[in-house]
Amino acid sequence: MGFDIYKIGAEASKEFEMTKEQTKQEVQYKMAQKMLKILLYKGIVTEIEYEKIDDLNIQTFSPQLAKVYV
């Protein structure tokens, strides 16, 4: 069972009227967030480190939906 990340991004773009670049940033942020959660669940990073890294990812990717993700 697979999914098309670009199709998902395109749907978000239409719903929130984002440009292709903004959609790309959203997808990149969500991918980084997913990887970071895996590191947290495996005990590789602490909760405090998770929060700091997530803040840096928000600054790096500037996702418009960051407030929704919290």
Side-chain angles (χ1 to χ4, degrees):
M1 180 164 132
F3 60 92
D4 185 348
I5 198 158
Y6 295 106
K7 181 179 177 186
I8 294 168
E11 291 169 0
S13 176
K14 288 177 187 173
E15 185 175 343
F16 296 99
E17 298 182 25
M18 293 185 288
T19 66
K20 284 186 178 184
E21 184 61 31
Q22 290 167 327
T23 301
K24 178 182 168 185
Q25 290 173 324
E26 293 293 330
V27 170
Q28 289 175 330
Y29 172 72
K30 288 301 289 180
M31 290 172 56
Q33 188 180 42
K34 181 67 174 177
M35 288 186 273
L36 185 56
K37 282 184 181 180
I38 291 169
L39 295 175
L40 178 64
Y41 294 141
K42 290 189 176 251
I44 297 171
V45 297
T46 66
E47 189 74 37
I48 293 170
E49 291 168 327
Y50 173 89
E51 291 173 14
K52 288 179 181 179
I53 295 168
D54 189 48
D55 287 342
L56 288 172
N57 284 341
I58 289 172
Q59 291 174 20
T60 300
F61 299 115
S62 302
Q64 289 193 347
L65 300 176
K67 293 175 186 169
V68 176
Y69 300 142
V70 174

